[in-house]
Amino acid sequence: MATAGGDRSVARKMRVLVVEGDARVRLGVRSLVESYPDLQVVGEASSARVALELVDNAPADVVIVDLALPTAAEGLKLVRELSRNGRSVMAMSIQSGLGPAALAAGAVFFVEKDEHGAAGLVEAIRATASHITDPQNRNIPPTVPRAEQSEDST
C-alpha cells in the first residue's frame, strides 16, 4: 500500500561501481553482486581514468577499487580522490599489507581478496554503503581513536 511518503515496500537497490584491472575478476564481482536482489552494478572501469569518468555518470552508493591499478600508488590515489569527493569506497587487494594505507587514503572498508569469499565481499559492500566498519575487525586493522591515544599519553 502506498503512503504519503511513497511505497516503502520497494527498497532501492544498492548501486555499485566496480574498478578492477582484471576483466575476469570484474566479471566475477559483477556476477556476484548482481546475484543479490538488493545490489546492482551501475558501471565497471578497468583503470583510474575510466573510473573518474564514470563516477559522475553512474551514481554509486559504493565504489569497489582494486588497489592494483596497475600499481598500488595509482589505486591509493584513486581512493583519495573518490573519498575527497564524498564517495564511499571499499578498497580491495591481494596484499593485506595495503589495508592501513587504503583506510588512511579514505576507504571506508578494506577487503583482502580471497580472504572471506563471496559472502564476506557482499557483507563488506553493505557495510561500506552504511559506513559501518567490520565489527570483528577481520579486514580492518585495529586502530585506537585519537581521543583515547591522548588520554593514554597523560
Side-chain angles (χ1 to χ4, degrees), residues 18 25-34 41 64 92 121:
V18 180
V25 175
R26 257 194 335 271
L27 177 60
V29 172
R30 172 185 274 283
S31 297
L32 171 67
V33 168
E34 293 191 338
V41 173
I64 299 173
M92 64 180 183
L121 183 62

Side-chain angles (χ1 to χ4, degrees), residues 136-151:
Q136 297 175 11
N137 288 322
R138 293 174 304 202
N139 301 320
I140 297 180
T143 58
V144 178
R146 290 187 191 278
E148 290 178 26
Q149 290 175 348
S150 298
E151 292 171 9

Side-chain angles (χ1 to χ4, degrees), residues 29-131:
V29 172
R30 172 185 274 283
S31 297
L32 171 67
V33 168
E34 293 191 338
S35 72
Y36 287 80
D38 62 323
L39 302 176
Q40 171 187 16
V41 173
V42 294
E44 296 178 31
S46 60
S47 68
R49 181 186 55 78
V50 173
L52 291 171
E53 291 171 4
L54 278 178
V55 77
D56 290 327
N57 298 323
D61 300 304
V62 174
V63 182
I64 299 173
V65 176
D66 176 35
L67 294 178
L69 285 174
T71 66
E74 188 172 343
L76 291 168
K77 180 179 176 186
L78 177 61
V79 169
R80 272 191 293 283
E81 189 158 345
L82 291 169
S83 297
R84 248 193 326 263
N85 291 321
R87 306 296 179 185
S88 295
V89 178
M90 184 192 91
M92 64 180 183
S93 176
I94 198 144
Q95 298 174 335
S96 62
L98 290 174
L103 297 171
V108 175
F109 210 96
F110 174 79
V111 175
E112 184 178 348
K113 286 182 176 179
D114 299 327
E115 185 67 21
H116 296 287
L121 183 62
V122 170
E123 179 183 332
I125 291 168
R126 290 183 175 132
T128 301
S130 302
H131 286 265

Side-chain angles (χ1 to χ4, degrees), residues 3 11 16 37 54 79 104 106 133:
T3 63
V16 178
L54 278 178
V79 169
T133 58

